Amino acid sequence: MHGETRLIDAPTTQTEPEDFDVFWADTIEKTRSRPLDLTVTAHPTRLTQIDVFDVSFRGFGGTPIRAWLRVPHGAAGPLPGLVQFFGYGNGRGHALRDLRWASAGYAHLVVDARGQGHGDTDDDHADGGPSAGGFLTRGIRSREEYYYRRVYADAVRAVDALRTIDFVDAERVGAVGASQGGGIALAIAGLVPDLAAVIVQAPFLCELDRAAVLSSEHPYALLTQYFADRRNDTAAALETLRYFDGITHAKRANAPALLSTGLLDGIAPPDTVLPAFTAYGGPKTVVLWPYNGHEAGGDLDEENALEFAAEHLGARAPDRLAADSLR
């Protein structure tokens, strides 16, 4: 394992709502009450070793959510699978973006964060109310209307969708993500009790009661702006954030997890992410990068992630050509 691994003991200041579990059980039940309406359509590319599929399924409120599914060419399965969301402001992106996981033998479902750039999914929910001009503060005065309620519910539905595909092994599905995607992965881990593995790098959306004080960089700066502009709404906003904090979701997680962060990160500062690592309820390995920022371990983190996923999801290494055949 690359990087510095050690036990973390960083207490949180975030408090847990008494009805946290009831709120999320109701949200997921309502989301799952609608038909999944999964479609998986082959998407032509010039790739010869990876097949790409254009995927749609219904998320929160019945909104069609778009995703790319990438798998090893001609794979009949059953394949282990990974659900991934990208960083703040990003969606599924181009069909050829990030081929690593499919190359390693996984069914890789890359999902839009509704309404965000580089994606194809609208956020068709009118949450109303003032915001500081970004997703982080959209609908923040109400837990029912807050933007990330929809995103977290979409993420659970993404796991449902991947497990439904006939060449995916439903018992070997995990979540992976960095930054915003890492925060969403923590939410998935807490909301889906039988997830097989979780890989989280520099997660956003943790220790949200203090994030505006701990980071002056975007996107936490949106919280600072909102609290400064709308002084009388601060208490209601902080109450909403208690339901979405990655720390509270991490407490409920039981899947094996690989967690990493850079200790010089100004976007998702260590004082926000280390309490989430401490709180994580399942078996965990924590990797720290003392001299790195939001990029954390970069490619070395990716190497760690591939090793961790192989151990816990069991993707078979490709057959190797005999050395004699190359002479």
Side-chain angles (χ1 to χ4, degrees):
M1 184 73 67
H2 299 292
E4 179 181 322
T5 59
R6 67 171 188 248
L7 294 176
I8 295 296
D9 184 14
T12 181
T13 59
Q14 182 62 280
T15 57
E16 181 176 314
E18 290 184 2
D19 62 345
F20 180 91
D21 293 312
V22 172
F23 171 75
W24 279 108
D26 180 67
T27 296
I28 300 308
E29 180 182 3
K30 288 179 178 177
T31 302
R32 284 177 167 158
S33 70
R34 297 175 180 266
L36 185 61
D37 287 343
L38 175 67
T39 65
V40 181
T41 306
H43 183 81
T45 72
R46 291 288 186 180
L47 300 176
T48 60
Q49 302 302 310
I50 293 174
D51 294 331
V52 181
F53 298 88
D54 192 351
V55 173
S56 175
F57 60 90
R58 294 198 180 274
F60 180 89
T63 299
I65 307 298
R66 302 289 296 279
W68 295 119
L69 176 65
R70 305 183 183 94
V71 301
H73 175 64
L79 296 174
L82 283 165
V83 171
Q84 182 168 13
F85 287 74
F86 286 118
Y88 191 87
N90 277 280
R92 65 176 183 166
H94 192 275
L96 303 184
R97 178 185 183 183
D98 192 356
L99 305 177
R100 180 185 298 106
W101 289 109
S103 299
Y106 298 87
H108 183 209
L109 188 70
V110 183
V111 189
D112 273 344
R114 55 169 65 213
Q116 296 195 21
H118 305 289
D120 301 291
T121 302
D122 293 334
D123 184 17
D124 55 8
H125 185 88
D127 47 36
S131 75
F135 303 103
L136 184 57
T137 60
R138 185 176 291 175
I140 198 171
R141 293 189 298 183
S142 164
R143 64 181 188 174
E144 284 80 15
E145 301 301 321
Y146 189 45
Y147 171 78
Y148 281 100
R149 183 189 186 206
R150 303 190 288 282
V151 173
Y152 288 2
D154 293 344
V156 171
R157 207 61 165 150
V159 174
D160 295 344
L162 186 56
R163 284 176 162 172
T164 301
I165 296 171
D166 57 7
F167 52 76
V168 174
D169 184 345
E171 295 184 358
R172 291 190 294 153
V173 169
V176 59
S179 195
Q180 175 184 252
I184 296 171
L186 284 176
I188 295 174
L191 293 169
V192 181
D194 57 349
L195 209 64
V198 185
I199 299 168
V200 176
Q201 182 192 60
F204 180 54
L205 300 166
C206 297
E207 200 79 349
L208 291 172
D209 59 325
R210 296 194 299 146
V213 175
L214 294 170
S215 174
S216 60
E217 297 193 37
H218 187 83
Y220 282 139
L222 294 171
L223 289 179
T224 308
Q225 180 182 341
Y226 184 89
F227 297 156
D229 291 343
R230 305 196 61 83
R231 298 170 182 85
N232 292 333
D233 291 342
T234 298
L238 288 170
E239 176 62 21
T240 293
L241 293 174
R242 294 171 71 208
Y243 291 86
F244 300 90
D245 201 304
I247 290 168
T248 310
H249 287 286
K251 291 178 183 178
R252 288 156 171 77
N254 54 34
L258 175 64
L259 310 154
S260 68
T261 195
L263 296 184
L264 298 182
D265 192 339
I267 296 172
D271 284 346
T272 66
V273 302
L274 296 183
F277 294 175
T278 298
Y280 191 86
K284 59 195 174 188
T285 299
V286 178
V287 179
L288 305 179
W289 300 95
Y291 304 104
N292 289 95
H294 201 51
E295 78 282 4
D299 291 336
L300 296 181
D301 263 344
E302 299 296 347
E303 284 191 32
N304 288 344
L306 287 166
E307 291 293 334
F308 182 85
E311 177 183 354
H312 292 281
L313 297 176
R316 183 179 66 84
D319 294 333
R320 302 294 183 186
L321 289 173
D324 290 345
S325 69
L326 300 178
R327 293 173 182 166

